[in-house]
Amino acid sequence: MRVLLTGGTGYIGSNTAVALLEAGHQVLIVDNLANSNERTVQDIREITNKDVDFVLGDITQPAVIDRILETENAEAVVHFAALKAVGESVEKPLAYYRNNLDGLLTMLESMERHGIHNFIFSSSATVYGGENPVPLTEDMPAGTCANPYGWTKLMAEQILRDAAAANPKMSVVLLRYFNPVGGHRSGKLGERPNGVPNNLMPYIVQTAAGIRERLSVFGGDYPTPDGTGVRDYVHVSDLAEGHVAALEYCVAHHGVETVNLGTGCGNSVLELIHTFETVNGVSVPYQITDRRKGDVAVCWADVEKAGRLLGWQAKRSLKDMCRDSWRCRG
């Protein structure tokens, strides 16, 4: 199958491109390189020894997407392209609403014009907010999002449900990620943001490498065993394989399904730091600071549905995540 990946040179997108190619699919990436590098396309080719097509473009521009869908014969879309930092979304909410929702609407309108009906959406566990008990299941109420990033994901999910209700040919899988970390075992395709990192693991890596003086741990007084926030960290390679499973499900069904992708267990920020230090033999200086607006205390997934519906489960450990993150630091 020929699959279009929006945002496919990004962290999760590039690892998913590898997983799709290794599963026998053809891959076309469109990306504006706002938070990635075109070198990633060559890394994907070297890892897989397979070709991947790349188009430099902004998916918020209808002419760009129409031109791609008119000429490239895509049969399915996996949609990653979005701004994605929780803290930044609180500071720049209008930019997040404009970019994340415009990109989705432009893509869906163009897909409708070109008769493409299979869609995998990169959603997030942030849609659950902070009021549901853990573990989080797909049927729990959503809509008490703690930040604008989460609201863009929830709004996007509703747009997709409405679009599928109006078009019985559509097949949509909404993948609610928990906290992706790690990198490809080759030492390539890790999380390497441009500028100062917004996510925890690349900040840990840069601190261990001496690029940053110390790591700020936001909040040490949460109601958790060590006072720091607890999250469901999932290896990006497991996450990528979840997309392959979701695509196989998507093309065989119609309608909309929502699926959590996580490990089903939680680890605190300090557990992650100490595991990283132990596995890699490095030091990560850190300081406890005030809580960050928009964060919740605990968040981990119930993953029964992913196993039942997609035949998928996470296989890699927290040690694997830390080891591969450090391996991909170059």
Side-chain angles (χ1 to χ4, degrees):
M1 175 176 293
R2 186 156 175 78
V3 185
L4 171 62
L5 302 189
T6 71
T9 61
Y11 173 48
I12 302 173
S14 61
N15 280 278
T16 299
V18 168
L20 287 166
L21 288 164
E22 290 179 340
H25 298 288
Q26 297 178 335
V27 172
L28 166 66
I29 291 172
V30 58
D31 204 304
N32 65 4
L33 303 180
N35 195 34
S36 58
N37 193 298
E38 192 171 350
R39 167 67 195 179
T40 300
V41 178
Q42 185 58 33
D43 289 337
I44 294 168
R45 291 172 179 149
E46 291 175 0
I47 289 169
T48 62
N49 198 29
K50 295 183 179 182
D51 195 23
V52 56
D53 295 321
F54 172 72
V55 176
L56 176 62
D58 189 332
I59 69 160
T60 63
Q61 300 175 6
V64 171
I65 299 305
D66 278 336
R67 185 172 65 250
I68 291 169
L69 296 185
E70 283 169 5
T71 59
E72 295 293 345
N73 300 314
E75 300 168 79
V77 173
V78 182
H79 185 60
F80 297 105
L83 299 175
K84 63 181 182 66
V86 168
E88 184 182 61
S89 78
V90 175
E91 298 169 1
K92 302 177 180 179
L94 298 183
Y96 270 68
Y97 288 117
R98 172 68 69 187
N99 183 82
N100 293 5
L101 298 180
D102 272 7
L104 174 65
L105 290 167
T106 300
M107 177 58 67
L108 290 175
E109 289 167 347
S110 187
M111 288 175 62
E112 187 173 49
R113 287 192 290 271
H114 294 90
I116 301 169
H117 308 299
N118 299 309
F119 196 89
I120 310 295
F121 180 62
S122 169
S123 192
S124 168
T126 58
V127 303
Y128 290 111
E131 297 179 5
N132 290 308
V134 291
L136 298 170
T137 60
E138 293 87 349
D139 59 356
M140 284 181 172
T144 56
C145 303
N147 51 73
Y149 166 73
W151 281 112
T152 69
K153 291 299 185 182
L154 188 66
M155 291 175 183
E157 287 189 3
Q158 188 60 50
I159 288 168
L160 285 161
R161 289 191 182 94
D162 291 341
N167 183 356
K169 293 182 180 179
M170 277 196 75
S171 181
V172 178
V173 180
L174 309 173
L175 295 178
R176 291 178 175 172
Y177 310 159
F178 281 66
N179 290 70
V181 294
H184 192 268
R185 63 184 181 277
S186 64
K188 302 176 180 180
L189 307 184
E191 188 173 10
R192 300 169 189 158
N194 296 333
V196 179
N198 286 298
N199 293 332
L200 176 59
M201 183 59 90
Y203 218 113
I204 289 175
V205 170
Q206 290 189 13
T207 303
I211 298 170
R212 310 287 168 190
E213 182 179 357
R214 64 175 53 85
L215 170 71
S216 292
V217 176
F218 298 111
D221 58 350
Y222 284 111
T224 62
D226 62 21
T228 64
V230 170
R231 297 291 182 270
D232 188 336
Y233 298 101
V234 57
H235 198 294
V236 69
S237 294
D238 282 327
L239 200 63
E241 291 164 5
H243 288 77
V244 177
L247 180 65
E248 293 169 354
Y249 176 86
C250 185
V251 299
H253 296 79
H254 294 99
V256 181
E257 287 288 353
T258 304
V259 183
N260 289 337
L261 292 184
T263 63
C265 62
N267 297 100
S268 75
V269 174
L270 290 185
E271 282 182 277
L272 183 65
I273 292 170
H274 296 325
T275 300
F276 188 94
E277 291 177 320
T278 300
V279 166
N280 297 308
V282 296
S283 176
V284 181
Y286 68 88
Q287 60 182 357
I288 304 292
T289 64
D290 293 338
R291 295 185 185 186
R292 182 174 59 180
K293 187 176 181 181
D295 281 345
V296 297
V298 295
C299 181
W300 69 84
D302 183 301
V303 292
E304 182 275 336
K305 187 175 182 180
R308 172 171 47 84
L309 206 69
L310 308 183
W312 174 90
Q313 64 177 4
K315 299 178 292 187
R316 296 162 179 88
S317 69
L318 191 67
K319 290 182 179 179
D320 294 327
M321 301 175 208
C322 292
R323 186 179 298 111
D324 289 338
S325 294
W326 185 240
R327 182 180 289 138
C328 290
R329 68 188 181 277

